[in-house]
Amino acid sequence: MTVLINNLVVDTPEHERARQLSAKYEGWNAESILRDAIDHEFVGQIALSSSFGADAVVLLHLVAQIDRTTPVIFLDTDRHFFQTLQYRDELVAQLGLTNLINLRPALEDVRALDPKNVLFQSDPDACCDFRKTKPLAAVTKDYAAWISGRKRAQAATRKAMQIVEFDGRNFKINPLADWTAQDVADYIRAHDLPPHPLVEQGYPSIGCFTCTKPVEEGQDARSGRWAGQDKTECGIHLSVYDGGGI
Ligand code: SF4
């Protein structure tokens, strides 16, 4: 992957490393990718970014089998469903994860930018920016790589996603890139893992309660996120050169 800065195509050693790792991991299963990334490629420099949403239990379970001390970053926007917060606490306890990092937006930003908690209506990008991107960007220096649960099948915007990406600042490891919704359901069933309680209420993708709706059967899984708006991503998965931070 290359990036564009001032109309110049930039291809760094990190982009080359991401390409090489993607080629190396092609055909590997998710557990093998994670084991290699955690125990070999990015020892002590890798964290799992988890939404504790509909599919999150898969990666949390896989990572817990490899190293329960792996940092698990949760972006606590103050706008989550209470079911998500309960689910987070239950999963962390059940899986024995010992390093949950709960990132909150800065209080001064809440007071200055969104004192009435309505910014998501008028400017959702700005809302995601101070509730998600900015808190996450503050800890990116602590890690070389992030594990993400994104999948190519989730949305048209993710179809070309590589197993390893470099966003200009950090590597993103996407061990579930080629997983389908059925693969996720099969894994959860095979390992008797608890589903997010909102899944059975029609939420295949779960974010803030203000910006998430249930979807009809057959619809794109992420179509309930910022439904009716152009917005499809919160910004944390955009390249830093796209203005999206990590
Ligand atoms: S998903 Fe909605 S409420 Fe949550 S941070 Fe983004 S715009 Fe704000």
Side-chain angles (χ1 to χ4, degrees):
M1 182 181 75
T2 53
V3 292
L4 210 59
I5 306 176
N6 296 332
N7 291 324
L8 292 172
V9 175
V10 177
D11 198 4
T12 65
E14 287 81 8
H15 291 104
E16 178 57 25
R17 186 181 177 194
R19 275 197 296 273
Q20 289 178 357
L21 284 174
S22 288
K24 170 180 164 181
Y25 291 155
E26 202 58 54
W28 290 28
N29 64 30
E31 183 184 349
S32 300
I33 294 171
L34 281 170
R35 200 170 283 284
D36 189 70
I38 293 171
D39 288 344
H40 178 61
E41 292 287 350
F42 299 103
V43 178
Q45 297 181 297
I46 188 166
L48 167 60
S49 168
S50 181
S51 66
F52 287 87
D55 300 345
V57 69
V58 172
L59 271 184
L60 290 163
H61 182 256
L62 282 165
V63 166
Q65 310 309 303
I66 297 165
D67 184 355
R68 292 180 179 181
T69 68
T70 303
V72 177
I73 311 284
F74 176 64
L75 293 170
D76 188 347
T77 61
D78 276 339
R79 307 275 81 198
H80 280 291
F81 291 95
F82 74 89
Q83 291 96 329
T84 298
L85 302 181
Q86 280 182 349
Y87 188 56
R88 173 199 61 191
D89 295 343
E90 287 166 10
L91 281 185
V92 165
Q94 180 176 330
L95 299 174
L97 293 160
T98 62
N99 197 359
L100 174 69
I101 299 172
N102 206 63
L103 289 179
R104 308 277 306 267
L107 200 53
E108 59 267 27
D109 282 346
V110 177
R111 287 183 179 140
L113 301 170
D114 198 12
K116 295 182 179 173
N117 290 325
V118 291
L119 188 61
F120 74 95
Q121 293 174 324
S122 60
D123 193 344
D125 284 341
C127 186
C128 278
D129 186 58
F130 90 85
R131 290 183 189 277
K132 295 182 178 180
T133 310
K134 191 172 168 187
L136 187 57
V139 299
T140 53
K141 65 183 185 321
D142 298 335
Y143 306 98
W146 297 90
I147 303 161
S148 156
R150 290 176 302 153
K151 301 163 203 69
R152 293 173 184 138
Q154 277 175 320
T157 50
R158 294 183 175 179
K159 272 189 179 140
M161 190 177 68
Q162 299 300 304
I163 298 173
V164 179
E165 302 167 306
F166 182 68
D167 67 4
R169 191 180 291 156
N170 298 90
F171 292 92
K172 298 265 186 67
I173 318 295
N174 305 308
L176 307 184
D178 64 354
W179 281 42
T180 64
Q182 190 60 50
D183 292 330
V184 171
D186 290 346
Y187 187 93
I188 290 174
R189 198 176 308 109
H191 295 275
D192 198 21
L193 298 170
H196 191 296
L198 291 177
V199 170
E200 65 176 15
Q201 295 179 37
Y203 293 84
S205 178
I206 302 161
C208 296
F209 70 87
T210 40
C211 302
T212 309
K213 289 182 177 171
V215 307
E216 301 293 329
E217 198 157 336
Q219 281 187 307
D220 195 298
R222 286 181 60 83
S223 63
R225 306 287 295 277
W226 304 284
Q229 301 183 35
D230 291 337
K231 190 173 171 64
T232 57
E233 300 279 358
C234 60
I236 62 171
H237 295 302
L238 300 176
S239 159
V240 293
Y241 300 117
D242 292 331
I246 176 176

